[in-house]
Amino acid sequence: PFVDEIRTQLDPERHPFYQHSEAAFFFASSADEIVGRIAVLENTRYNDYHDERTAFFYHFDVVDDGAISRALFVAAFDWARGRGLDKMWGPQGLVAADSKGLLIEGFEHRPALGIAYNFPYYGELVEDAGFEKGVDLVSCHMDRQTDISERYVRVAEKVKKRGGFRTVNFRTKAEL
């Protein structure tokens, strides 16, 4: 995610999530250095709609250290239990459009916008905290030399016209 996007997510005055729900943010430090973080969310709209008491974790980032990871998850679990929440899913962000899940394979490819990208060891740390895989999210990679069927090209052009979409190429980060 972009830095400004995260700043907005962390600011209860700017992000609409906080109009109906709450979050807590925990970090771990060692020798004046941040070595891990986690956000835990109570999305009351989700829980009301599904008649559940589910917490979500997000913004999990940690060095490769099981003890630090476990301490972050214990803090998240304690916060959730203190609010009467009885299960936790994640990673799942503040809104449905946020990136969700963990990357478990495909680390040889560059990250894509909106798709989870993390260190390979995250899967083990999350499983160590007691989580199990709930669903597979699949992303695909195509390089520029991949042949695309003419039929797909025609459909894409129709969708672009009807939806008012356009393709934009950026030459520099500044243009992006």
Side-chain angles (χ1 to χ4, degrees):
F2 294 114
V3 173
D4 284 344
E5 180 183 356
I6 293 176
R7 282 191 184 118
T8 300
Q9 288 179 347
L10 299 178
D11 187 348
E13 300 297 319
R14 293 174 54 200
H15 199 283
F17 174 85
Y18 301 101
Q19 294 172 6
H20 56 77
S21 297
E22 295 188 45
F25 305 93
F26 300 96
F27 69 92
S29 63
S30 175
D32 297 327
E33 180 181 8
I34 302 295
V35 293
R37 70 177 188 200
I38 194 168
V40 59
L41 318 171
E42 179 183 8
N43 187 329
T44 55
R45 287 194 173 160
Y46 175 92
N47 284 330
D48 290 347
Y49 182 81
H50 293 281
D51 194 26
E52 293 183 8
R53 299 295 300 149
T54 300
F56 299 91
F57 76 89
Y58 195 51
H59 290 309
F60 175 68
D61 192 20
V62 67
V63 296
D64 191 3
D65 186 313
I68 295 170
S69 175
R70 281 189 292 279
L72 288 168
F73 277 110
V74 164
F77 295 151
D78 288 347
W79 184 86
R81 270 198 286 297
R83 304 182 70 73
L85 306 175
D86 56 15
K87 85 176 133 176
M88 187 177 293
W89 290 1
Q92 168 63 55
L94 283 70
V95 297
D98 287 338
S99 173
K100 50 182 71 70
L102 290 174
L103 182 66
I104 56 169
E105 61 182 66
F107 295 100
E108 68 275 15
H109 301 293
R110 294 171 52 181
L113 287 174
I115 304 296
Y117 200 88
N118 48 262
F119 291 109
Y121 60 84
Y122 277 26
E124 289 180 29
L125 295 177
V126 170
E127 285 181 356
D128 179 62
F131 290 91
E132 298 174 354
K133 180 182 76 164
V135 66
D136 284 322
L137 302 174
V138 179
S139 175
C140 298
H141 170 80
M142 291 175 43
D143 60 34
R144 292 178 185 204
Q145 284 71 44
T146 301
D147 286 330
I148 300 173
S149 162
E150 183 59 38
R151 178 174 175 248
Y152 288 117
V153 173
R154 284 194 313 272
V155 169
E157 289 302 321
K158 285 181 183 178
V159 169
K160 281 170 53 176
K161 279 184 183 175
R162 288 182 188 161
F165 298 107
R166 60 190 173 100
T167 303
V168 180
N169 293 311
F170 300 102
R171 292 178 301 238
T172 67
K173 286 183 183 179
E175 287 181 2
L176 174 63

